[in-house]
């Protein structure tokens, strides 16, 4: 007796679709630096939430930049969610334009918790040095 198409879809189609979605998520996490909390949330409880990542710019108050400029606020949010080179470059460009400095050094730090030793520290995820002449 032949198997009905609906049964085939339920038996094979849905699991294959789920595996494809998971594979795409892992690809973006590894290759595009997508945060574990985004894109389906696979592995979201393996890391501290991206909201707690810290953007550090020596000599510049990040809080005042975010309060005064919505474009920078959105760029910093995207940088925390997906800290790839394109988002670093975009955020650094906006900071250079807003501060009128000659160069900028932008860093993104991630909290790190070691449950075995009970320590809390920060880990540098990525950084960029951008000069006005590079624009």
């Amino acid at each position: 007796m032949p198997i009905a198409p609906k049964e085939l879809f339920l038996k094979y189609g849905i699991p294959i679709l789920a595996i494809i979605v998971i594979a795409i998520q892992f690809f973006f996490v590894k290759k595009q630096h997508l945060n574990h909390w985004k894109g389906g949330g696979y592995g979201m409880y393996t890391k501290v939430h991206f909201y707690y990542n810290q953007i550090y710019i020596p000599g510049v108050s990040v809080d005042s930049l975010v309060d005064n400029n919505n474009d920078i606020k959105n760029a910093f949010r995207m940088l925390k969610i997906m800290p790839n080179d394109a988002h670093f470059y975009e955020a650094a460009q906006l900071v250079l334009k807003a501060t009128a400095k000659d160069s900028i050094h932008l860093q993104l730090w991630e909290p790190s918790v070691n449950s075995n030793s009970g320590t809390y520290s920060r880990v540098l995820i990525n950084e960029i040095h951008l000069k006005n002449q590079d624009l």
Side-chain angles (χ1 to χ4, degrees):
M1 176 162 86
I3 300 174
K6 183 177 180 181
E7 186 179 337
L8 280 174
F9 177 72
L10 291 173
K11 192 172 185 178
Y12 299 108
I14 292 176
I16 288 172
L17 183 63
I19 290 170
I20 290 170
V21 168
I22 292 169
I24 290 170
Q25 162 68 13
F26 282 124
F27 170 77
F28 280 130
V29 166
K30 295 297 179 189
K31 299 296 181 185
Q32 297 295 320
H33 300 288
L34 178 68
N35 190 286
H36 291 262
W37 284 80
K38 293 293 179 186
Y42 301 105
M44 65 189 240
Y45 294 112
T46 61
K47 296 189 92 165
V48 177
H49 194 276
F50 72 88
Y51 177 79
Y52 297 104
N53 290 351
Q54 296 174 327
I55 294 174
Y56 177 70
I57 305 169
V60 176
S61 170
V62 174
D63 292 335
S64 65
L65 281 174
V66 170
D67 288 342
N68 297 329
N69 193 324
N70 280 334
D71 292 335
I72 291 177
K73 182 178 184 177
N74 293 333
F76 283 178
R77 187 172 194 288
M78 283 304 299
L79 181 62
K80 286 180 176 183
I81 292 171
M82 191 180 296
N84 59 22
D85 291 339
H87 289 136
F88 264 95
Y89 186 76
E90 179 186 351
Q93 277 184 320
L94 289 171
V95 171
L96 269 177
K97 289 177 186 175
T99 59
K101 289 185 172 263
D102 293 335
S103 65
I104 201 76
H105 180 199
L106 189 140
Q107 299 176 330
L108 182 66
W109 293 84
E110 176 182 72
S112 175
V113 178
N114 185 338
S115 59
N116 292 333
S117 64
T119 58
Y120 177 85
S121 61
R122 297 184 317 156
V123 177
L124 181 64
I125 295 175
N126 201 352
E127 63 185 337
I128 186 172
H129 298 273
L130 190 64
K131 298 178 182 175
N132 260 335
Q133 62 197 21
D134 294 338
L135 298 177

